[in-house]
Amino acid sequence: LADVKHEAAALAQGHVGHVHVGASSGAPEHFLADACVSLSRETSRITLKVSILRGTDLLSALHKGEIDFFIASRQTSTAKDIVQEHLYDDRFVVFASADHKLAERKRVTLADLAGGRWAAANSPVRPQWQQLFRALESKGLAPPTIALETNSQAVRTAAVAYSDYLGVSSREFLRQEARKFRLVELPLEELSHIRRVSIIYRKDGYLTPAAHRLIEILKAQAQEIAATQRVSEKSKTAGGKRRKRTSPH
């Protein structure tokens, strides 16, 4: 009887169980991976299944009950049985190898990027690319030359890391990839497209205590990201004010 009570308590506390969670590729899957590792360190009695799918496929799997919840950009679905909880904002940035000629710049302009070769891991019709195209056009500069286009994030990232290619990715994806490759963000103000990353689940769907625990970890990670972003923005604002004070009249 004591064993039964112990097992019931473990289930209720989210220390035992199985969670099937989904994510879109890129930053959300890395974000989810970190949370899964954190959960595995808390208990060895939870099993996890992670499916990386496209947004429409994630929604379909959720409606069918094939996954408990998923992490992705905010969906355009208006279904009343779907709940979307905002986690964090992920800004898109230009990045390059740490050995790139622009890597040490404190500020990079659109003119600095003109003539550069770019590697794209998705279609250049995506909003972040279109913003870059419009910004270059507004300055009378030629559009980016897509020297490498692939559907593989891994191929794109490695190509940028070991060449003079430039790339566009979300800041969180870049932070994760910089653990493996010598990559840096190029400080370009004109690219400001933001992806809103959310936890998405069924309004009346049952979530086990283990699933709830994983969601708690994800939310805690999101708070850490938001705190880091606030510190970064304050630092940039302070740096901008200092430059204005020291600039010649």
Side-chain angles (χ1 to χ4, degrees), residues 8 18 55 89 93 116 138 143 160 170 173 182 188 190 195 224 228 237 249:
H18 178 75
D89 290 337
V93 298
S138 70
V160 172
S170 77
F173 180 79
R182 296 183 66 249
L188 178 75
E190 285 83 357
R195 170 171 58 188
E224 291 177 3
T228 300
T237 300
H249 294 284

Side-chain angles (χ1 to χ4, degrees), residues 120-130 149-151:
N122 46 50
S123 172
V125 301
R126 296 288 181 89
Q128 60 270 26
W129 280 102
Q130 289 304 302
E149 185 173 352
T150 175
N151 63 354

Side-chain angles (χ1 to χ4, degrees), residues 140-229:
L141 300 170
T145 298
I146 308 299
L148 172 67
E149 185 173 352
T150 175
N151 63 354
S152 167
Q153 298 271 17
V155 170
R156 184 280 311 268
T157 303
V160 172
Y162 298 116
S163 73
D164 65 346
Y165 286 149
L166 299 169
V168 174
S169 82
S170 77
R171 182 170 281 154
E172 278 306 302
F173 180 79
L174 176 59
R175 182 180 67 83
Q176 293 282 354
E177 290 299 289
R179 297 176 180 178
K180 300 177 288 184
F181 300 101
R182 296 183 66 249
L183 297 167
V184 296
E185 176 185 337
L186 300 185
L188 178 75
E189 295 180 355
E190 285 83 357
L191 187 61
S192 59
H193 181 71
I194 291 175
R195 170 171 58 188
R196 293 177 61 81
V197 178
S198 303
I199 292 178
I200 301 162
Y201 56 90
R202 287 169 294 162
K203 183 177 181 180
D204 298 318
Y206 173 70
L207 291 174
T208 65
H212 278 292
R213 180 58 193 139
L214 181 57
I215 288 174
E216 288 174 357
I217 293 172
L218 288 162
K219 288 181 177 180
Q221 287 182 180
Q223 290 175 353
E224 291 177 3
I225 290 173
T228 300
Q229 290 174 343

Side-chain angles (χ1 to χ4, degrees), residues 76-150:
T76 56
S77 172
T78 57
K80 294 181 179 179
D81 61 333
I82 296 297
V83 176
Q84 303 192 54
E85 286 192 49
H86 176 250
L87 283 172
Y88 63 92
D89 290 337
D90 198 5
R91 180 174 174 172
F92 281 86
V93 298
V94 173
F95 72 102
S97 164
D99 297 319
H100 194 281
K101 64 182 181 180
L102 298 176
E104 299 296 326
R105 296 281 189 89
K106 297 297 183 183
R107 182 172 180 271
V108 172
T109 67
L110 289 168
D112 294 328
L113 303 180
R117 300 189 303 160
W118 296 75
N122 46 50
S123 172
V125 301
R126 296 288 181 89
Q128 60 270 26
W129 280 102
Q130 289 304 302
Q131 185 180 54
L132 181 61
F133 274 62
R134 289 194 298 271
L136 287 165
E137 184 180 17
S138 70
K139 298 292 185 181
L141 300 170
T145 298
I146 308 299
L148 172 67
E149 185 173 352
T150 175

